[in-house]
Structures are given as structure tokens and as C-alpha cells.
Amino acid sequence: MTASPPPRFITFEGIDGSGKSTQARLLAAHLRGCGMDVILTREPGGSPGAEEIRSLVLTGDPDRWSAETELLLFTAARRDHVEKTIRPALDEGRCVICDRFADSTRLYQGATRGDLAETVDRLHDLMIGLEPDLTFVIDMDPATALDRGLARKSGEDRFEDMGLAFQATLRDGFRALAAAHPDRCRLIDGDRPAATVAADVASHL
Ligand code: ADP
Ligand code: TYD
């Protein structure tokens, strides 16, 4: 029997403020410490073009864009990110850790902002066609996560501004997504000290 190859495309998902960026950073440091060649990237963004789209979708009034327009903007950003950053790194044999990816679109635009799940899947198949090897879904109480997220005062709070009920619906959606894809998703309790969460994450690799 041969051992399965180590995961090379790893994503972090979850509600706003759940600690994804922190955990993505800690995992990248851990894997680099083990001698792996790792790039740490994020969505929306991760390439110059996608970073420009990021500021369009994350700032301004909550109703600035419809769910449909958002879906097109996030997909355009992801296509550029995959073309310019993710695919070249994977082709060079590097490990890619990404803070959010297509599961965020499935949840935010597909299931929570609008009833667009089928359109999201079709657009993903047409334009992206790439899935992570491993996804950590960081799960926690939305009120605590929202407090953490808003305390950052990043100026990119368009989705946090949609409120607690929105974040609670998202949380349920992320939990269901993790249950539906046990092959690649690991549900992680994010309501613990960052170092404890990081040790839990690392134990899955
Ligand atoms: P996300 O990327 O999911 O929005 P971040 O990693 O940016 O979350 O964390 C949001 C805020 O919460 C940051 O100020 C961060 O320092 C803090 N934070 C992250 N993880 C923890 C944790 N396990 N416990 C307490 N605070 C945390
Ligand atoms: P991010 O900066 O990761 O936010 P946070 O640190 O608060 O978790 O992501 C920005 C926002 O963009 C976040 O609220 C989720 C949203 N988003 C979507 O709605 N669809 C997507 O496809 C992606 C990647 C993000």
C-alpha cells in the first residue's frame, strides 16, 4: 500500500473573524519550519488584479452590489488569482495555503446572500475547476467572531455590516458544507486560544 501524497493546496474557511488568517499564517510558519516551500495567499485578492477587485467588493454600503454581481466579481478575482498565483505555484511543486477560496462563494453568494447555489457551481466549473486537497473550516460562535472581526477596524467590513443573523446563517452553512465533504474538510473549533487551534490544525497534516 502506498501512502497518499501530502496535501498541497490547503484552504481555510469560516465566518468573518473566526481566526482564518491567523491560522493560515501559523500553519504556513509551521510547514516552513518543517522545510516545506509554502506560499500564503488570500481571497479575494492574492494577485495584483484580484487585489483591485477586493477593494470593490469589501468597501462601501452593504447593498452596493447584488449577490449576482458579487458572484461575477469574486469569480473574476479568483480566476486571476488561480492563473497568476495558485496554478504556477502548484506547478512548481510548492504548497499553497489560501485564506478563503470557492467555498466562501458557495456560502456567501450561493446560499446566504441569494439562492444562487446552482449558478455558483456552474460558474465554478466553467471558470475555476480547481478544488483544494484539504479545507479547514474554522467554526465558532458568530457573536464572538463578529466582535473580533469588527475590533480590527480594517475598513473592509461590508460583510460584517450585514449583521449577526447573517453570520449565524453562514455558520450553519459552513458546518453543513464540512459535513457534506468529509473527504477534504476538517471542522475545527475556533473558540480556543490561537496556539491550541493551530496545534489541532497541524495534527491533521
Ligand atoms: P478571520 O481571518 O477569520 O477574519 P483573523 O485571524 O483576522 O480572523 O482574526 C480576527 C481577530 O481575532 C484578530 O484581531 C485576531 O488577532 C484575533 N484572533 C484570532 N484568533 C484568535 C483566537 N483563537 N482567540 C482570540 N482572538 C483571536
Ligand atoms: P476576508 O478578508 O477573509 O474577511 P474576514 O477576515 O472578515 O473573514 O474576506 C472578505 C469578505 O469577503 C468576507 O466577509 C467574505 C467575503 N467573500 C465572499 O462573499 N465571497 C467570496 O467568494 C470570498 C472569497 C469572500
Side-chain angles (χ1 to χ4, degrees):
M1 206 172 89
T2 51
S4 54
R8 286 207 297 115
F9 181 27
I10 301 170
T11 58
F12 282 84
E13 297 281 0
I15 59 175
D16 299 271
S18 54
K20 298 174 299 299
S21 314
T22 304
Q23 293 305 321
R25 225 174 19 247
L26 291 172
L27 181 62
H30 172 72
L31 294 181
R32 283 175 186 141
C34 298
M36 286 179 67
D37 185 2
V38 177
I39 72 157
L40 176 59
T41 186
R42 68 163 180 187
E43 291 210 350
S47 63
E51 288 291 332
E52 287 191 39
I53 298 174
R54 178 181 176 97
S55 66
L56 289 175
V57 283
L58 297 194
T59 61
D61 286 346
D63 61 359
R64 181 179 184 185
W65 309 110
S66 68
E68 287 81 357
T69 311
E70 271 175 13
L71 169 59
L72 294 170
L73 289 168
F74 279 113
T75 305
R78 178 162 309 124
R79 173 78 200 199
D80 193 63
H81 186 206
V82 170
E83 278 179 15
K84 307 274 172 52
T85 305
I86 297 177
R87 180 56 74 193
L90 292 174
D91 287 347
E92 286 167 10
R94 308 176 75 189
C95 171
V96 176
I97 298 179
C98 190
D99 182 357
R100 294 195 186 276
F101 191 66
D103 292 325
S104 283
T105 314
R106 292 182 176 116
L107 265 297
Y108 283 76
Q109 283 68 46
T112 309
R113 292 268 287 136
D115 186 10
L116 293 176
E118 202 184 313
T119 313
V120 168
D121 287 342
R122 286 171 64 192
L123 205 49
H124 180 80
D125 290 346
L126 273 174
M127 287 295 151
I128 310 296
L130 174 69
E131 291 295 345
D133 300 318
L134 182 60
T135 297
F136 292 105
V137 178
I138 312 286
D139 178 61
M140 65 178 288
D141 168 50
T144 312
L146 194 58
D147 286 347
R148 280 188 193 172
L150 289 173
R152 274 180 316 206
K153 298 201 187 332
S154 65
E156 292 183 330
D157 295 333
R158 196 173 146 252
F159 286 89
E160 279 94 335
D161 289 345
M162 291 180 189
L164 187 55
F166 179 75
Q167 297 293 331
T169 307
L170 278 172
R171 180 200 196 179
D172 292 344
F174 274 118
R175 290 177 65 95
L177 179 123
H181 299 280
D183 46 330
R184 73 171 168 91
C185 292
R186 304 287 174 269
L187 193 69
I188 302 287
D189 175 7
D191 207 355
R192 297 174 290 170
T196 309
V197 180
D200 188 0
V201 165
S203 75
H204 289 272
L205 282 156

